Amino acid sequence: MTDVLEAPAHANFVGGKWHPSRSGRTYEKRGPWRPSEVIGEFPASDAADVDAAVEAAAAAFPAWSRLSGAARGEVLRRAADALDRRVEQVAQDMTLEMGKPIREARMEAARMAQILRFFAGEGLRDTGERYEQAATGSVVYTMRRPLGVVGLITPWNFPAAIPAWKAAPALVYGNTVVMKLAQEAPLTGLHLAACFEEGGVPPGVFNVVVGRGSAVGTPLVEHPLVKAISFTGSVAVGVQVRGEATALGKRVQLELGGHNPLIVMADADLDRAAEAAYAGAFWSAGQKCTATRRILVEEPVYDGFRSLLVARMERGVVGDPADPQTEVGPIVNEAQLEEVLAGIEKGRADGGTLLAGGERIDDEAYLLAPALFEGLSDDAFLSCQEVFGPVTSLYRFTSLDEALRRANAVEYGLSASIFTSSLASARQFAQEIEAGIIRINGQTAGADVHVPFGGVKSSGFGPHEQGRAAREFYTEVVTVYEDV
Ligand code: NAD
């Protein structure tokens, strides 16, 4: 087994080969649990590396796009088999480089292969629609065609799943890819490249460049041969990327931040709701775009729910992400930790009461005790702005109409949950909540691979990802009138 458990090269994957950056520059990657230790050196790439990758992708496009969908799907299936063999290694590298607790990292690593298999199947499904011409009855049909070279820009917080769910549809529909991995989590994404290589992807079809956002992301967005950009990350960077890409006439898809509400009705199963609140707010140290940032609780059960949640936090296991018992691990880096601590200070300054947690609890690791506030007004910083860490707040409400109005009063619209035993309340919530991912009696985080994923309002732009929805972004529809 040792041969398949080898780490991928700490290098860019361009034109089917592993390359250092053209300049030879590297950066040191440290993990958030023991940041004094360097865990690897990775390419500090720049525009020259992007040029080489885009040119390789452009050269590979004609042959790849002419293959059948089934043949492209086979490459994905073989890459999924390769991923199955290295799930444990991917999970351990993920935990080491960005601090996701190993039990969640294992689930995410396994999901990569599921994503590839789902999209492998897409290679065998319909590629258009068939009609009759109105005047003659002859055939008129639509065809979905690939776009060409697509640029994929990914964040560090789902370093396995997000690269997979962008690359798999891009490839199966016939595009070639240049992917920019986040600097904070290169190794996990490089496993994907290693698995595509093992799966026999032709040289140039899938390329990966590692480096800083401004040094790699900007040249990728601006490159004239790149037809479309799929970006997941923060609102600030996403809006900038959209501006640059649309000015150049490119197709853009953005998956951005969230400020996700969980509503607990008086008729809810409070134990389940408290468990979902804990998991949604604090697993992965709250570093999920779909993490629960606000918990709105109906007045009659507010005090009881608060006691349950505080008790759950006391039982929570916070610590070494490599320990399978750990539920909450460290924040990804020092700058993020400082930002989260500053957010907690703002919560205090805004008059919030900290019911639990909120302080750093390890001298070396970027470890924070999960924080629960109450008493914040709806316009307080923590009530509206995404703080990317284990911080959430409780709010009281007296009717579902009020809860919905307040839940919707943020710029974001990614995910939202309600806990209730009333079908009428659940239906009203599904109709009126402004979110792309809506859950009834489940936590705000988590997503299936075969259904659309994406936000509304400031949380997203363009077609959704995952499921069959993904083809809306990665293909263009043409209409063919056929007369004989
Ligand atoms: P980020 O915006 O800082 O970075 C995302 C990616 O963009 C990275 O690869 C980064 O290097 C790159 N980048 C940075 N500057 C760039 C530029 N000028 N041009 C092009 N690319 C550039 O986000 P992050 O800190 O890596 O991730 C956390 C954020 O991502 C949070 O806001 C979170 O909510 C969001 N997120 C959203 C989803 C979703 O599906 N909606 C999923 C995961 C994370």
Side-chain angles (χ1 to χ4, degrees):
M1 287 297 280
T2 46
D3 55 339
V4 294
L5 292 181
E6 257 174 38
H10 293 191
N12 294 329
F13 185 65
V14 174
K17 294 205 163 62
W18 296 90
H19 295 276
S21 65
R22 309 244 143 187
S23 67
R25 280 199 296 273
T26 59
Y27 72 95
E28 283 182 349
K29 173 74 188 106
R30 292 160 192 269
W33 178 247
R34 287 294 168 253
S36 57
E37 294 164 17
V38 174
I39 59 174
E41 290 208 358
F42 292 88
S45 310
D46 59 26
D49 302 290
V50 173
D51 285 347
V54 173
E55 278 157 26
F61 176 72
W64 180 248
S65 60
R66 282 189 209 119
L67 280 183
S68 68
R72 293 191 296 258
E74 259 322 295
V75 173
L76 267 62
R77 208 183 316 278
R78 290 196 298 267
D81 292 345
L83 273 166
D84 282 343
R85 291 192 289 272
R86 56 168 90 205
V87 165
E88 183 58 23
Q89 190 63 48
V90 174
Q92 292 204 11
D93 286 342
M94 194 187 318
T95 296
L96 184 69
E97 69 177 356
M98 51 71 74
K100 185 166 296 200
I102 188 72
R103 58 192 210 148
E104 280 194 88
R106 286 185 177 132
M107 289 189 276
E108 190 184 334
R111 195 158 135 219
M112 258 175 142
Q114 291 166 4
I115 292 166
L116 263 56
R117 289 207 171 86
F118 173 82
F119 283 106
E122 275 295 279
L124 293 169
R125 296 201 185 96
D126 64 276
T127 55
E129 296 169 344
R130 187 176 189 277
Y131 303 87
E132 287 178 349
Q133 292 186 39
T136 62
S138 304
V139 173
V140 52
Y141 62 94
T142 65
M143 226 174 18
R144 286 187 176 270
R145 297 199 304 210
L147 307 175
V149 179
V150 297
L152 311 179
I153 301 178
T154 62
W156 52 265
N157 66 331
F158 282 97
I162 292 178
W165 86 45
K166 289 188 192 300
L171 293 175
V172 82
Y173 298 129
N175 303 282
T176 54
V177 166
V178 177
M179 176 175 277
K180 183 228 169 292
L181 295 172
Q183 256 200 316
E184 284 297 5
L187 194 47
T188 311
L190 289 172
H191 277 288
L192 182 64
C195 290
F196 276 127
E197 185 184 29
E198 252 183 74
V201 75
V205 167
F206 181 73
N207 306 276
V208 175
V209 183
V210 177
R212 284 183 38 221
S214 52
V216 175
T218 304
L220 183 59
V221 172
E222 291 177 348
H223 200 292
L225 293 178
V226 173
K227 304 290 184 216
I229 295 287
S230 177
F231 171 91
T232 299
S234 60
V235 172
V237 178
V239 166
Q240 185 188 334
V241 164
R242 179 176 57 194
E244 291 162 358
T246 50
L248 295 166
K250 300 185 183 193
R251 192 178 277 213
V252 193
Q253 172 183 57
L254 306 177
E255 291 298 346
L256 307 176
H259 205 290
N260 314 298
L262 168 77
I263 293 177
V264 183
M265 302 296 292
D267 61 10
D269 177 334
L270 294 188
D271 289 315
R272 272 179 68 199
E275 189 59 36
Y278 183 83
F282 303 133
W283 282 4
S284 289
Q287 299 170 110
K288 295 183 185 177
C289 49
T290 49
T292 306
R293 306 284 177 212
R294 290 168 295 154
I295 306 170
L296 295 87
V297 188
E298 200 169 0
E299 176 64 41
V301 296
Y302 182 93
D303 291 350
F305 178 84
R306 178 180 55 194
S307 304
L308 285 172
L309 182 55
V310 170
R312 178 64 182 87
M313 291 173 72
E314 282 163 4
R315 292 196 307 276
V317 186
V318 183
D320 182 354
D323 181 340
Q325 301 304 317
T326 295
E327 295 179 289
V328 181
I331 308 270
V332 70
N333 59 31
E334 194 167 7
Q336 279 289 137
L337 175 72
E338 292 303 329
E339 237 178 73
V340 176
L341 286 168
I344 290 169
E345 269 322 299
K346 284 201 180 88
R348 282 205 183 93
D350 283 342
T353 304
L354 198 49
L355 296 173
E359 69 286 343
R360 186 172 180 176
I361 50 173
D362 191 283
D363 288 342
E364 186 175 5
Y366 304 131
L367 199 63
L368 193 71
L372 178 64
F373 274 96
E374 71 172 357
L376 286 166
S377 65
D378 285 0
D379 60 359
F381 180 82
L382 285 177
S383 304
C384 327
Q385 300 300 319
E386 184 186 53
V387 170
F388 217 54
V391 185
T392 196
S393 311
L394 288 165
Y395 307 82
R396 292 172 197 265
F397 69 88
T398 54
S399 72
L400 180 54
D401 284 340
E402 178 201 337
L404 281 161
R405 181 179 47 73
R406 292 170 62 191
N408 286 337
V410 291
E411 62 166 312
Y412 297 103
L414 187 51
S415 72
S417 293
I418 190 168
F419 272 77
T420 180
S421 53
S422 155
L423 183 58
S425 298
R427 285 268 164 86
Q428 184 183 349
F429 178 75
Q431 290 284 344
E432 297 179 17
I433 192 72
E434 293 169 2
I437 309 293
I438 299 171
R439 291 180 173 261
I440 319 289
N441 295 319
Q443 58 154 307
T444 57
D448 274 348
V449 305
H450 61 294
V451 290
F453 177 88
V456 300
K457 296 162 79 176
S458 295
S459 292
F461 178 81
H464 284 349
E465 300 195 87
Q466 299 215 79
R468 299 213 81 199
R471 66 185 184 158
E472 301 305 327
F473 182 73
Y474 291 108
T475 63
E476 58 193 8
V477 176
V478 297
T479 307
V480 183
Y481 291 78
E482 195 176 86
D483 287 294
V484 283

